[in-house]
Amino acid sequence: MRNQLSASAASDFIVQTKSDNDLIIGLAGNPNVGKSTVFNALTGMHQHTGNWPGKTVTNARGVCTYHNRNYILVDIPGTYSLLSHSPEEEAARDFLCYGNPDGVIVVCDATCLERNLNLVLQILEITHRVVVCVNLMDEANKKKIRIDTDALSQKLGVPVVTTSAKNKTGLPNLMETLERMLQHPSESAYCVTYPDPIEEAISALATYLPGDTLRYTRQRARKLLEDEVLPLEFSNDAGISTAFLHAKSLLRSHNFTQNTYRDTVATALVTQGEQIARDVVTFEDENYEKRDRIIDRLLTGKLTGIPLMLLLFAGIFWLTITGANYPSQLLSSLFSHGEQLLFAGCVSIGLPPWLCSLLCAGIFRVVGWIVSVMLPPMAIFFPLFTLLEDLGYLPRIAFNLDKAFQCCKACGKQALTMCMGFGCNAVGVVGCRIIDSPRERLLAILTNSFVPCNGRFPTLIAMISMFFAITSPYSSLWQAFCLTLTVTAGIGMTFAVSYLLSKTLLRGHPSSFTLELPPYRKPKIGKILIRSMLDRTVFVLGRALAVAAPAGLVLWLCANVEIGSQTILSYLSGWFDPFARWFGLDGVILTAFLLGLPANEIVIPIMLMAYLSHGSLTDASDLLSLKQILLQNGWTQITALCTMVFSLFHWPCSTTLITIKKETNSVKWTVISALLPTVIGFFICFVIATVSKLIF
Amino acid sequence: MDFIFPLSQLPMGQNATVLKILTSGTMRRRLQDLGIIPGTQIECVLKSPAGDPVAYRIRGALIALRKKDSETILMNP
């Protein structure tokens, strides 16, 4: 599976230029050094950023025009090194080696330059057309870390620029330096040197290898000598084969094994980076991290870590619920007025009644429902969540929960992919690429839909506020508590299922795990709130139009086209009804979930339309009247509870399923990812329904 | 004093020097990528609520390692 993944990742890197004049520039660097921020600032795009390593899993590309020339920037996923074999590192290496970039900007973290130099040196082995961009200078200044960039540039033999991409400082200089470098690439870029026997072996092989520069053939030789046999592309060449055998015997005569060779290479890179850093970086304040450690001791403390995490989430949920109330009501009354106006308008221009009804009760109402009920909570939840993300809290969640994941033989980084799942499960599934081990990645992919996504979250909130609210001044707190409980149930199920899968279908041991905890960063609050709110609004509206509007059309047809004496919708729901009753649901609910496969957002609108097609109420734009409709159709708290459970645990939406198919390359796992939550959902609903029938 | 102990036994707030990495394969690569080679100074900085993983200061970065991995890194005081 790993090979398939890396192959598909590598093919993403082939860049098409629009004209011969366009230049392809790779943006490389360690994880979480602000590559995406640099990328956004240069291209004016809005690639997702956040303070945690591994966000960028797909390679975004954008165009930056400077002095009338197009620079196509490719945002390569962050890697610590090019020596390992994770899919991202291979993809990054493939892009640098075979993607023919005209130049590479290596973004470094000024607060942690030494570690970053390791990658810089490895990239300098491949190409000398490099600009080193020392980013996060503002943070380094605050921590009193001084960097002598002139000395660094002199030592590396390539231009060095300092930036603070968040504040957009240093970027014009970066482009100017890049332009100059491309015109006159440095001839004296740093060359990593290895102990004598390795140098001899590299030289012996490198002269026979194809490549434009000695630098590049040396790197290829060094890489080839790691393995015992030549890859197919070279093994047919007699010259290369002989040179390879000669170089190998040279290494063997100096007692190098495959392992000691690799160790020596890694050590040479690290020590040379260390030497350079020693001469250019000075720490004027040794206690620069005091504040971070105090916060960390609270947020990851033995007694405080987990409770604070739950409290933080409950707090965000509370703000979401209370904050969304008013705009939600406002929007729904606006939409219901709008619908009346639209209907009157349609009638007045002489459209046939069925078309008026289709436009207003079909398309407009579904879109209106989604915008008024889905948008406000999401436009509040996500900015708050982004705030946590930019502060650097998400890796701490992974740190806190890793032990639990370890017990389930899974990877702690799964916590990060779950956080992404809140936004959209399809995004969460793609995000699982940050997990190295294929087995653990599969666990994370299969369980991602246990986190309620953007399309289900508001449904849960609506259910809670309709059926589980209490009449007390603390009602909103209670609702936040209920929501936290629901989300925790999803997380608990993630652990349980991961554990079971590790014991059955995906047997194995937890693999290597390293997680970088970045420094806390003060987010630009105002900017983030607005940016994230706009992004989310665009996302929800985009889905509303792309999925809900056509779905509204189909649904209206289902609810109004009659076959015999019944509409299609009532025929379907009547057929499912006896079955659904076993699980505390009814035919309409089950039909709604089935028809909601393209997008979970439309589940409640489908229910509404089905109920209304034989009901008397016409206006159902706010929650109060919705509750009336549901009660009229025999809903109880048990029905609501079962609907919530089923919303949390049922098949993922079609977009997510397609993404799972793409990421796993397997129909089998895609089917399992749909069956698993469905079976669980039905089972829990069955238990709830049966127990409640016994009690009441 | 010249005794050897695994990184997992390094007390909070203490420093020590890497002597040898015992693990092989992917994890060895990962550790080297992070700059852990013989001679590297490592400080134990932060314990997670369950006591595992533990976060270490390695070449200026804060890196969390699981106990089963930090047990394979031999240290010198």
Side-chain angles (χ1 to χ4, degrees):
Chain A
M1 196 178 80
R2 167 159 290 191
N3 284 334
Q4 285 164 350
L5 278 175
S6 74
S8 73
S11 65
D12 291 350
F13 278 100
I14 297 162
V15 182
Q16 304 264 306
T17 47
K18 279 192 215 101
S19 85
D20 292 343
N21 251 339
D22 292 357
L23 294 163
I24 301 170
I25 308 295
L27 209 57
N30 280 189
N32 206 34
V33 293
K35 275 188 307 303
S36 296
T37 315
V38 172
F39 176 84
N40 287 347
L42 289 178
T43 60
M45 286 169 73
H46 300 295
Q47 176 80 347
H48 183 74
T49 60
N51 185 10
W52 55 281
K55 274 165 330 298
T56 309
V57 286
T58 50
N59 35 76
R61 65 201 52 165
V63 180
C64 167
T65 310
Y66 184 75
H67 286 169
N68 292 324
R69 199 128 193 224
N70 285 337
Y71 293 81
I72 299 175
L73 296 182
V74 181
D75 191 4
I76 306 171
T79 57
Y80 291 115
S81 138
L82 302 172
L83 297 175
S84 295
H85 292 282
S86 80
E88 277 67 47
E89 292 186 13
E90 264 165 33
R93 195 169 49 227
D94 285 352
F95 173 73
L96 294 170
C97 293
Y98 310 117
N100 288 324
D102 295 287
V104 181
I105 300 175
V106 190
V107 185
C108 295
D109 177 352
T111 64
C112 185
L113 188 66
E114 184 184 331
R115 216 260 322 276
N116 287 246
L117 282 175
N118 191 358
L119 182 71
V120 175
L121 295 182
Q122 289 185 41
I123 291 175
L124 282 177
E125 283 194 302
I126 298 171
T127 172
H128 60 292
R129 300 165 75 90
V130 167
V131 173
V132 173
C133 163
V134 182
N135 192 28
L136 304 171
M137 276 312 280
D138 50 330
E139 267 177 57
N141 284 334
K142 226 176 275 167
K143 291 174 176 174
K144 299 213 167 84
I145 300 171
R146 305 283 173 235
I147 294 169
D148 184 345
T149 45
D150 291 337
L152 182 62
S153 171
Q154 206 176 16
K155 281 185 183 295
L156 292 175
V158 291
V160 175
V161 194
T162 58
T163 57
S164 167
K166 196 172 76 176
N167 307 317
K168 303 211 168 181
T169 51
L171 294 167
N173 189 20
L174 174 62
M175 286 314 290
E176 196 187 309
T177 312
L178 180 70
E179 187 186 39
R180 217 177 320 122
M181 184 279 289
L182 291 170
Q183 283 160 0
H184 309 286
S186 157
E187 295 302 327
S188 57
Y190 189 91
C191 231
V192 183
T193 47
Y194 298 99
D196 286 340
I198 295 187
E199 281 293 332
E200 275 174 50
I202 290 176
S203 306
L205 179 58
T207 40
Y208 290 93
L209 292 173
D212 294 339
T213 58
L214 176 64
R215 186 179 295 277
Y216 180 53
T217 51
R218 270 174 54 89
Q219 191 268 350
R220 275 187 120 173
R222 195 213 72 207
K223 188 93 194 99
L224 289 172
L225 288 170
E226 277 179 16
D227 297 314
E228 290 306 321
V229 285
L230 276 173
L232 212 60
E233 51 171 322
F234 295 128
S235 57
N236 291 330
D237 186 312
I240 295 176
S241 292
T242 323
F244 181 74
L245 290 176
H246 172 61
K248 270 290 188 189
S249 70
L250 229 156
L251 287 174
R252 253 195 306 276
S253 69
H254 287 89
N255 293 327
F256 276 105
T257 62
Q258 192 177 24
N259 279 331
T260 52
Y261 175 80
R262 288 184 171 190
D263 283 359
T264 315
V265 168
T267 307
L269 287 163
V270 172
T271 37
Q272 282 169 60
E274 186 183 288
Q275 274 160 12
I276 295 172
R278 195 182 299 145
D279 294 339
V280 299
V281 186
T282 37
F283 297 89
E284 288 176 7
D285 178 7
E286 292 292 335
N287 291 322
Y288 63 92
E289 289 187 322
K290 218 169 168 185
R291 190 202 57 182
D292 275 16
R293 289 298 79 77
I294 294 170
I295 302 174
D296 265 338
R297 234 152 258 156
L298 264 177
L299 291 181
T300 66
K302 196 172 186 160
L303 298 172
T304 49
I306 304 283
L308 274 179
M309 185 179 82
L310 290 174
L311 259 174
L312 256 171
F313 270 88
I316 290 185
F317 293 154
W318 177 73
L319 284 172
T320 304
I321 290 171
T322 20
N325 234 334
Y326 178 72
S328 204
Q329 277 168 6
L330 187 77
L331 280 171
S332 64
S333 69
L334 272 178
F335 270 102
S336 96
H337 279 297
E339 193 183 320
Q340 283 162 14
L341 283 177
L342 184 70
F343 194 80
C346 286
V347 171
S348 72
I349 58 169
L351 291 179
W354 65 269
L355 189 59
C356 297
S357 165
L358 182 140
L359 285 175
C360 300
I363 297 170
F364 191 82
R365 191 178 288 170
V366 172
V367 172
W369 161 267
I370 288 180
V371 173
S372 61
V373 176
M374 300 279 165
L375 185 57
M378 294 300 97
I380 294 173
F381 176 75
F382 280 95
L384 294 172
F385 193 75
T386 313
L387 222 54
L388 280 191
E389 188 179 353
D390 280 41
L391 270 168
Y393 184 61
L394 298 198
R396 268 78 185 179
I397 297 180
F399 185 58
N400 282 342
L401 293 180
D402 180 65
K403 182 71 188 179
F405 282 108
Q406 206 177 333
C407 292
C408 304
K409 312 251 187 290
C411 178
K413 289 181 193 167
Q414 199 172 327
L416 297 172
T417 66
M418 286 159 73
C419 287
M420 283 190 262
F422 274 118
C424 169
N425 289 134
V427 174
V429 167
V430 176
C432 292
R433 290 187 196 169
I434 58 169
I435 299 171
D436 286 336
S437 137
R439 188 188 69 85
E440 289 162 12
R441 191 178 327 144
L442 205 45
L443 280 179
I445 289 175
L446 292 180
T447 53
N448 196 271
S449 69
F450 293 135
V451 177
C453 64
N454 189 72
R456 294 180 284 159
F457 214 74
T459 310
L460 295 175
I461 296 178
M463 288 292 152
I464 288 173
S465 53
M466 278 189 295
F467 286 92
F468 300 99
I470 46 170
T471 39
S472 125
Y474 300 110
S475 180
S476 61
L477 279 178
W478 164 253
Q479 288 177 40
F481 173 74
C482 290
L483 191 58
T484 314
L485 214 61
T486 315
V487 173
T488 315
I491 296 170
M493 192 54 77
T494 304
F495 284 124
V497 171
S498 298
Y499 181 79
L500 281 177
L501 282 173
S502 299
K503 291 279 167 196
T504 52
L505 289 176
L506 286 168
R507 231 168 275 149
H509 292 286
S511 71
S512 58
F513 169 82
T514 55
L515 173 74
E516 181 168 358
L517 302 178
Y520 290 103
R521 287 179 185 147
K522 199 168 125 202
K524 299 196 125 185
I525 296 176
K527 203 181 132 210
I528 283 172
L529 290 183
I530 292 167
R531 179 77 254 146
S532 164
M533 208 178 279
L534 282 176
D535 280 354
R536 214 14 76 168
T537 308
V538 170
F539 180 82
V540 174
L541 286 180
R543 270 183 73 93
L545 291 176
V547 185
L553 179 88
V554 175
L555 291 177
W556 184 88
L557 289 175
C558 285
N560 287 278
V561 173
E562 294 191 355
I563 297 175
S565 59
Q566 276 185 318
T567 64
I568 300 174
L569 200 57
S570 65
Y571 179 78
L572 267 178
S573 57
W575 194 74
F576 280 124
D577 202 59
F579 174 72
R581 298 277 170 198
W582 282 84
F583 304 101
L585 308 169
D586 65 22
V588 169
I589 304 172
L590 198 54
T591 313
F593 275 111
L594 273 173
L595 295 179
L597 180 71
N600 282 293
E601 285 93 334
I602 57 174
V603 167
I604 292 188
I606 300 175
M607 289 184 203
L608 270 180
M609 224 174 271
Y611 288 140
L612 287 176
S613 65
H614 51 78
S616 53
L617 266 170
T618 48
D619 178 33
S621 49
D622 66 3
L623 287 180
L624 214 67
S625 46
L626 174 61
K627 188 181 177 182
Q628 287 309 314
I629 297 168
L630 296 179
L631 286 175
Q632 277 175 12
N633 282 280
W635 275 52
T636 61
Q637 278 195 332
I638 298 296
T639 325
L641 184 62
C642 288
T643 308
M644 280 172 66
V645 167
F646 203 69
S647 171
L648 198 55
F649 306 124
H650 72 287
W651 48 88
C653 74
S654 52
T655 318
T656 308
L657 285 173
I658 292 168
T659 313
I660 293 175
K661 169 72 182 44
K662 232 188 256 166
E663 292 293 310
T664 60
N665 242 323
S666 142
V667 178
K668 178 185 134 193
W669 290 115
T670 314
V671 171
I672 290 177
S673 76
L675 283 180
L676 208 63
T678 309
V679 170
I680 292 168
F682 274 129
F683 177 75
I684 299 177
C685 287
F686 178 75
V687 171
I688 294 174
T690 313
V691 169
S692 72
K693 271 176 209 154
L694 289 176
I695 295 174
F696 303 111
Chain B
M1 213 164 56
D2 194 39
F3 68 101
I4 299 167
F5 59 94
L7 177 60
S8 53
Q9 284 175 17
L10 184 65
M12 277 272 274
Q14 300 274 310
N15 260 303
T17 312
V18 176
L19 185 71
K20 197 173 181 189
I21 307 174
L22 297 179
T23 182
S24 60
T26 321
M27 193 56 190
R28 191 183 183 89
R29 295 276 88 113
R30 283 257 160 265
L31 296 175
Q32 287 169 344
D33 290 348
L34 296 169
I36 304 180
I37 56 167
T40 305
Q41 283 264 321
I42 296 185
E43 183 193 348
C44 175
V45 178
L46 200 66
K47 280 200 161 76
S48 64
D52 179 24
V54 173
Y56 300 94
R57 173 142 308 281
I58 300 165
R59 296 188 187 268
L62 193 60
I63 310 281
L65 297 175
R66 283 177 175 174
K67 188 161 173 259
K68 83 174 179 51
D69 295 319
S70 58
E71 270 170 349
T72 67
I73 304 172
L74 293 187
M75 309 295 288
N76 247 345

